[in-house]
Amino acid sequence: MDLMVVLKAGFMGFALSIGTQMLVFFLAAKWFGAGRARFVRVFVLAAVTSFLVVDLYLYYKIQVSDIPEPQMFLAGCVGGWLAGIASGLTQLKPLLLQLMR
């Protein structure tokens, strides 16, 4: 049972992180006209924004939903968020740059 909680939370953290990063890159290009030279600045903004989104999700799930194993859920969600940040810097960099066109 613990493994399923960690896997579910890890997937949610990863999905929230990647989704938020893609949204921030898209909005930075459309609204602010950020170019490819500003990748690092936009990525830091995306990382902070994705952290806030995952934090709000964790607050909702742990405080409001009152899940039975909050420590395992927290560890899985933070691990998924970190995996999303690492994946955004390595594997998804071409896609994120394409969103900035």
Side-chain angles (χ1 to χ4, degrees):
M1 187 65 176
D2 293 340
L3 181 63
M4 290 306 292
V5 169
V6 171
L7 288 176
K8 180 181 174 183
F11 178 73
M12 285 306 300
F14 183 79
L16 286 171
S17 177
I18 295 297
T20 305
Q21 287 177 32
M22 293 175 75
L23 180 65
V24 167
F25 270 87
F26 177 74
L27 292 177
K30 293 296 178 189
W31 285 355
F32 303 119
R36 297 172 69 103
R38 306 267 187 224
F39 177 78
V40 174
R41 291 180 185 179
V42 176
F43 190 81
V44 169
L45 175 67
V48 169
T49 306
S50 70
F51 172 75
L52 293 175
V53 168
V54 170
D55 187 40
L56 288 173
Y57 175 74
L58 281 171
Y59 178 77
Y60 172 75
K61 288 298 275 187
I62 291 174
Q63 294 293 328
V64 177
S65 296
D66 196 35
I67 59 174
E69 299 171 2
Q71 292 86 9
M72 299 300 285
F73 193 81
L74 175 69
C77 202
V78 169
W81 173 75
L82 286 173
I85 294 296
S87 178
L89 274 176
T90 57
Q91 301 295 318
L92 292 176
K93 186 175 181 178
L95 176 65
L96 294 174
L97 285 173
Q98 186 179 12
L99 286 173
M100 291 182 71
R101 289 186 192 173

